[in-house]
Amino acid sequence: MPELPEVETICNAFKKSVTNPVIKEFKIINPKLRWKINNKIPSILKGKRINNISRRAKYIIMDFDDGSIILHLGMTGILRKTSTFPEIFKHDHFMLKLEDDATYIYNDVRKFGSLHWVYDKSKHFLIKNLGVEPLSRLFSKKYLYEKLKNKKTQVKNLIMNQNIVVGIGNIYASEALYDSKIRPNRISSTITISECENLVKSIKKVLSRSIKFGGTSIKDYKTLDGKSGYFKQKLMVYGLEKCQCGEVLIIVKISGRSSFYCAKCQK
DNA sequence: CTGAGATCCTGTCTGC
DNA sequence: TGCAGACAGGATCTCA
């Protein structure tokens, strides 16, 4: 479900809403996720203080004195803030209650999300091989070109590869490629240095614009208070039938996932 | 090592 | 209505 802008939006809202960061109770409702939730987490977290909440790639990370919680929302993960005596719904997986009774519940229909407790997050298998943040200076034309130039995979696959650059999923891959006038099925090694420069610029532009509008809500995505994001209205190709130029958009499957492009605007 | 397809899971929509 | 099949914002695993 959520790509970088959605996770960023949720993470910021979560961080902002925490007033007393000490954990009163952590309760597992249904441990079955992408990986089973460790049943020691409730006792590990009880009484601990959250020092920081941040985003890395599509993960939300809570830091404590002696370790971290790593949360991934998968395709359908939703974090909701709720009342002191919350109603539990179908597909709820865990509840986090803070000292001031602020309560957060994680719901995930498809169970592709995950929750891990780690003592050293930098060494954790989910984190250690992640690529650069797309909105950082590390993500440059030079960096991407080095990654692209010898690869045979289609360029959309490459920019969605979290070991190269993080946070880009199926929507923003199509959007960024449209913005940079590159077809998603181009072989990576055929991308020129100037196209690469445009692609880097487009990725940064599309992601930061979406963050500004609170992310893209197509189906499941909601931020903490149940509200949708507004970037859907700004999409140029994903889920649409026609390009701005009037041409009918083409849908191709790339590694099994729908990819939208305009044959007239993208080369 | 690289790259592509299968896979985990549930809900929704389309076509017969 | 019923039912099969396709599809959904992710990413790991498996195999050629």
Side-chain angles (χ1 to χ4, degrees):
Chain A
M1 163 185 89
E3 304 181 40
L4 186 147
E6 293 75 41
V7 179
E8 178 80 11
T9 303
I10 291 165
C11 189
N12 287 340
F14 179 34
K15 189 172 180 174
K16 209 171 157 185
S17 84
V18 170
T19 49
N20 186 331
V22 177
I23 293 173
K24 190 176 192 175
E25 185 190 7
F26 181 93
K27 190 174 170 186
I28 297 171
I29 299 161
N30 175 4
K32 193 167 167 20
L33 284 173
R34 180 75 172 80
W35 291 274
K36 194 178 174 205
I37 301 175
N38 181 346
N39 61 16
K40 295 196 179 80
I41 291 181
S43 59
I44 290 172
L45 289 185
K46 196 172 167 66
K48 275 197 176 30
R49 171 179 292 271
I50 306 169
N51 293 331
N52 192 33
I53 295 170
S54 60
R55 179 193 61 73
R56 169 79 174 109
K58 297 175 193 171
Y59 298 96
I60 294 172
I61 298 180
M62 284 179 257
D63 291 317
F64 302 86
D65 285 342
D66 59 343
S68 304
I69 284 286
I70 303 173
L71 171 64
H72 195 289
L73 305 175
M75 287 274 236
T76 51
I78 292 170
L79 198 61
R80 70 175 191 273
K81 190 173 186 180
T82 180
S83 61
T84 311
F85 298 102
E87 194 179 342
I88 302 300
F89 294 107
K90 196 175 179 183
H91 306 306
D92 282 347
H93 287 269
F94 65 82
M95 183 187 82
L96 175 73
K97 184 185 274 198
L98 302 179
E99 204 52 61
D100 62 357
D101 286 334
T103 303
Y104 303 85
I105 294 180
Y106 179 75
N107 183 285
D108 190 345
V109 172
R110 290 179 69 185
K111 302 176 171 58
F112 289 168
S114 63
L115 184 86
H116 291 268
W117 163 261
V118 294
Y119 288 100
D120 182 351
K121 65 184 175 191
S122 64
K123 293 195 178 116
H124 192 257
F125 77 103
L126 290 174
I127 303 289
K128 67 178 181 188
N129 294 323
L130 289 174
V132 300
E133 285 286 334
L135 298 177
S136 76
R137 278 162 189 258
L138 294 173
F139 185 56
S140 63
K141 130 182 106 163
K142 196 179 161 205
Y143 173 86
L144 188 61
Y145 192 69
E146 285 301 311
K147 300 290 183 184
L148 279 167
K149 66 178 188 186
N150 296 320
K151 292 287 199 311
K152 293 193 184 84
T153 193
Q154 297 170 81
V155 63
K156 176 166 174 272
N157 281 336
L158 188 126
I159 61 171
M160 287 174 68
N161 182 342
Q162 304 299 302
N163 295 330
I164 294 174
V165 54
V166 301
I168 303 163
N170 206 34
I171 293 182
Y172 298 108
S174 278
E175 292 297 314
L177 287 161
Y178 172 78
D179 192 70
S180 55
K181 302 182 166 49
I182 299 167
R183 294 189 187 185
N185 51 6
R186 282 272 298 281
I187 298 301
S188 299
S189 59
T190 70
I191 304 291
T192 66
I193 186 87
S194 83
E195 284 178 319
C196 185
E197 180 172 16
N198 291 335
L199 182 52
V200 167
K201 280 184 188 162
S202 294
I203 287 170
K204 289 176 190 281
K205 174 177 148 190
V206 166
L207 294 178
S208 48
R209 249 168 65 79
S210 181
I211 291 171
K212 200 172 132 192
F213 288 99
T216 303
S217 300
I218 284 174
K219 233 181 122 218
D220 304 302
Y221 164 70
K222 298 262 189 296
T223 187
L224 219 55
D225 54 8
K227 289 208 178 98
S228 299
Y230 297 100
F231 195 72
K232 186 182 175 190
Q233 301 154 25
K234 311 283 175 190
L235 295 176
M236 301 299 284
V237 283
Y238 186 88
L240 302 180
E241 286 180 10
K242 270 193 177 175
C243 179
Q244 295 273 320
C245 77
E247 195 81 355
V248 172
L249 292 168
I250 293 172
I251 308 174
V252 284
K253 290 274 180 196
I254 295 175
S255 285
R257 311 195 66 188
S258 296
S259 317
F260 298 75
Y261 74 93
C262 174
K264 205 168 151 190
C265 298
Q266 292 167 263
K267 299 293 168 200

